[in-house]
Amino acid sequence: MVEPTTLTRRGEFTNIAGPPLIAFFINVLLCGVLIVQVYIYYMAFPKDRAYIKAIVYVTFILELVQTAIQMYDRYQLNAVHYANPGSLDNPLMAWFSIPILTTVTSVIVQVFFGWRIYKFSKSWLTAGLVWLLSLIGLGAGMTQGIMSQPLTMSQVGERTTIPLTLWFVSAAVNDVLIAALLSYYLRRMKSGHEKTDRVVTRIVILTVETGTITAISALLIVVLFFVAPPWWLMFSDSIGKIYSNNLMVMFNRRIKFNHDEPLAGSEQFSNGGIASIPQSALRVQRNPTDDVSTWKDAYPMKGLDSSSINSPSGRYIHAV
């Protein structure tokens, strides 16, 4: 247990108490958004593949555990140790809930995107680069957590500069790389058919948007760490929620695709106001006998007619 320090200056008190409290509010807010997204996914895609469900529910459980730990810490600091300002410098379980759990969540999401890049590119080199950066971030995050355990909140920034910087910079670089690679390979999937290309364009835009959000968040933490040291904590608590919410946006976006481009003959129903869609995905093939399931395996989204759509290049997309 870290011995609490004595905070005598009002500015010092604000710097120690303010950022974690704001971070807690943001964290709980994003947790609520995540719960809604997972509920929508549960209702709309009961027949998704097992590995997709595993990714969704594992990240969801990790984020629930992280939020529960944060609630426990807030209760300890604001209720049990009320009127003891020095206790605010005690990290309690923050060394575990922020660097370690957050890193695990972000790495799961990044590894999944790396695998999807491999499915599109069939290149172990490009996917391996994503996975390498993910492992660097995982190692840096774990090191950050272990080094922070015996420290006070005010000491964390001073004594863990290298692992913290490496953690968030590698995450930001990896997010930019993932967005760039997915956009590149998705654009190569365009066939010249208007309906097909429209779906591809939507996925490219969504990929860039989600990758940009996570990259900016990670870079913002690094900038605040050096420019306004205590305030980097304001966003570090929630970076895992940003990753998991972005992942859920990618999966749940299929509902919007299906709304815009309904599958012919498909059953759509409403349960509690949530539109459900059939559990199929897109498959890209060069001829009717080819069984290249790039879309089906790498990007489980759909939104075209269930009948085959022939394109000038001889490729077609259909629901499977």
Side-chain angles (χ1 to χ4, degrees), residues 38-99:
V38 172
Y39 174 72
I40 292 173
Y41 174 84
Y42 172 78
M43 297 299 295
F45 306 104
K47 297 181 182 179
D48 255 358
R49 292 190 171 194
Y51 74 90
I52 296 292
K53 291 183 178 180
I55 292 172
V56 169
Y57 296 128
V58 167
T59 55
F60 180 56
I61 290 172
L62 287 173
E63 289 306 313
L64 286 182
V65 171
Q66 197 255 11
T67 303
I69 294 175
Q70 290 287 294
M71 289 180 174
Y72 169 80
D73 285 353
R74 282 299 101 197
Y75 177 80
Q76 288 292 317
L77 296 176
N78 294 0
V80 176
H81 299 287
Y82 178 75
N84 180 13
S87 65
L88 294 172
D89 207 22
N90 191 331
L92 297 176
M93 291 294 294
W95 66 271
F96 177 74
S97 63
I98 300 177

Side-chain angles (χ1 to χ4, degrees), residues 8 20 22-23 26 37 46 61 67 87 131 155 157 160 182 194 204 218 225 236 243 263 295 305 312 315 317:
T8 57
I22 296 175
I26 297 174
Q37 291 222 64
I61 290 172
T67 303
S87 65
W131 293 332
Q155 292 173 336
T160 62
L182 280 176
E194 181 181 357
V204 170
F225 178 75
S236 61
Y243 275 100
L263 288 172
W295 283 83
D305 292 337
R315 303 166 71 185
I317 296 178

Side-chain angles (χ1 to χ4, degrees), residues 215-238:
I216 290 177
S217 300
L219 288 176
L220 181 60
I221 292 172
V222 175
V223 170
L224 290 174
F225 178 75
F226 287 103
V227 176
W231 294 94
W232 67 272
L233 295 167
M234 190 167 53
F235 299 104
S236 61
D237 285 27
S238 346

Side-chain angles (χ1 to χ4, degrees), residues 23-24 26-35 38 55-71 96-109 167 235-248:
F24 175 71
I26 297 174
N27 195 27
V28 172
L29 176 64
L30 290 177
C31 185
V33 175
L34 181 62
I35 290 172
V38 172
I55 292 172
V56 169
Y57 296 128
V58 167
T59 55
F60 180 56
I61 290 172
L62 287 173
E63 289 306 313
L64 286 182
V65 171
Q66 197 255 11
T67 303
I69 294 175
Q70 290 287 294
M71 289 180 174
F96 177 74
S97 63
I98 300 177
I100 294 180
L101 288 182
T102 294
T103 301
V104 172
T105 300
S106 61
V107 167
I108 290 174
V109 175
W167 171 21
F235 299 104
S236 61
D237 285 27
S238 346
I239 192 73
K241 299 289 189 306
I242 295 174
Y243 275 100
S244 54
N245 271 293
N246 279 345
L247 181 70
M248 294 311 303

Side-chain angles (χ1 to χ4, degrees), residues 253-272:
R253 182 76 173 185
R254 287 175 288 177
I255 297 174
K256 188 176 190 305
F257 284 166
N258 192 61
H259 174 73
D260 293 343
E261 304 284 351
L263 288 172
S266 65
E267 295 181 2
Q268 296 187 3
F269 60 93
S270 179
N271 191 332

